[in-house]
Amino acid sequence: MRRHLIVGNWKMNKTASEAVAFIRDVRERMPASPHADVVIAPPFTALESARNALGPSSWIGLGAQNIHWETHGAFTGEVSAPMLRELGCRYVIVGHSERRTLFGERDEAIQKKVQAALKHGLSPILCVGESLTDREAGRTESVVTAQISNSLTGLTRGDLANVTIAYEPVWAIGTGRAATTEQAVTVHRLIRLFVEAGWNRETASAIRILYGGSVTPQNVESLLASDAIDGALVGGACLNPDSFATILRLAQIPRA
Ligand code: 13P
């Protein structure tokens, strides 16, 4: 069975020293490894300090929030996959809706980022999700499947083994209005069917599909109680050590 994965997306929050203090605090609250995979994604500037604070064999993995698809060159302001690997990152969030809407990222660029991540040994966490307008117009399925298809096209089954999909409805991000478990489960199921149709059943049953959008200590248990939801991509509630540790504790639901 797929292990739960909880990813804390810090977005543009915490300096390097704040990152170190946060890690110490979470560790004091959670001395032992939870029965779930855990990743934090601090800003680029805090990655090295976070890696040093975590140490070599921490149960908390490190991820980045974005990458450029080239390895190096004249791309002012960008950071490449090999740079992140050397800093100890194992995951990278790709195609977050804030990147899509605020920075104009399109599926074509996201596809290149997914491929670059895989090529350099980073596991991409591909974010997909519909806007409120899309949902109200009945376009949730077509929007989400198009995002997946455009971003993952050309990948092999072996590649998919290293990909995580995060369903983050845009209307639920930072709004305090999370999708209901039922709404999330419906979309997670259609994503899994879409992966099955595009690759095969084994790939579909192995891939982790996370939910993101106003996840809190109050709603995480209900979301994770469903077999269709393999974890959470947490924004606001991952910034506070107490609420993040509570989410980790609640994520330890044994899976059949
Ligand atoms: P919030 O949990 O703050 O809604 O953010 C979700 C998110 O965008 C995680 O990537």
Side-chain angles (χ1 to χ4, degrees), residues 9 11 93 96-98 127 168 172-176 212-215 233-237:
N9 175 9
K11 308 192 179 183
I93 297 168
H96 191 279
S97 79
E98 287 149 18
C127 301
E168 295 208 310
I173 296 176
T175 58
S214 296
V215 172
L233 180 51
V234 188

Side-chain angles (χ1 to χ4, degrees), residues 236-249:
C238 80
L239 295 173
N240 174 290
D242 181 38
S243 70
F244 189 55
T246 305
I247 288 173
L248 298 186
R249 236 174 270 122

Side-chain angles (χ1 to χ4, degrees), residues 191-233:
I191 291 174
R192 208 173 292 284
L193 284 174
F194 187 78
V195 172
E196 183 173 335
W199 286 269
N200 66 1
R201 176 172 285 208
E202 201 188 342
T203 307
S205 60
I207 197 164
R208 285 197 283 205
I209 306 175
L210 314 183
Y211 168 77
S214 296
V215 172
T216 63
Q218 287 71 41
N219 61 20
V220 71
E221 230 175 337
S222 147
L223 288 160
L224 297 187
S226 166
D227 281 355
I229 301 179
D230 303 314
L233 180 51

Side-chain angles (χ1 to χ4, degrees), residues 116-132:
L118 290 168
K119 186 168 171 203
H120 296 283
L122 288 168
S123 294
I125 300 169
L126 171 69
C127 301
V128 298
E130 81 288 2
S131 66
L132 191 57

Side-chain angles (χ1 to χ4, degrees), residues 45-110:
T45 47
L47 285 171
E48 187 167 19
S49 310
R51 178 197 59 188
N52 294 340
L54 289 169
S57 57
S58 173
W59 51 265
I60 302 179
L62 204 54
Q65 299 173 19
N66 186 25
I67 47 166
H68 191 271
W69 56 85
E70 296 290 345
T71 53
H72 62 276
F75 302 101
T76 301
E78 296 291 325
V79 171
S80 73
M83 294 171 184
L84 295 172
R85 277 287 297 178
E86 201 178 294
L87 278 179
C89 287
R90 287 191 286 127
Y91 292 83
V92 61
I93 297 168
V94 175
H96 191 279
S97 79
E98 287 149 18
R99 301 286 331 156
R100 294 177 191 260
T101 56
L102 303 175
F103 303 100
E105 263 186 32
R106 311 288 286 265
D107 285 346
E108 193 194 13
I110 294 164

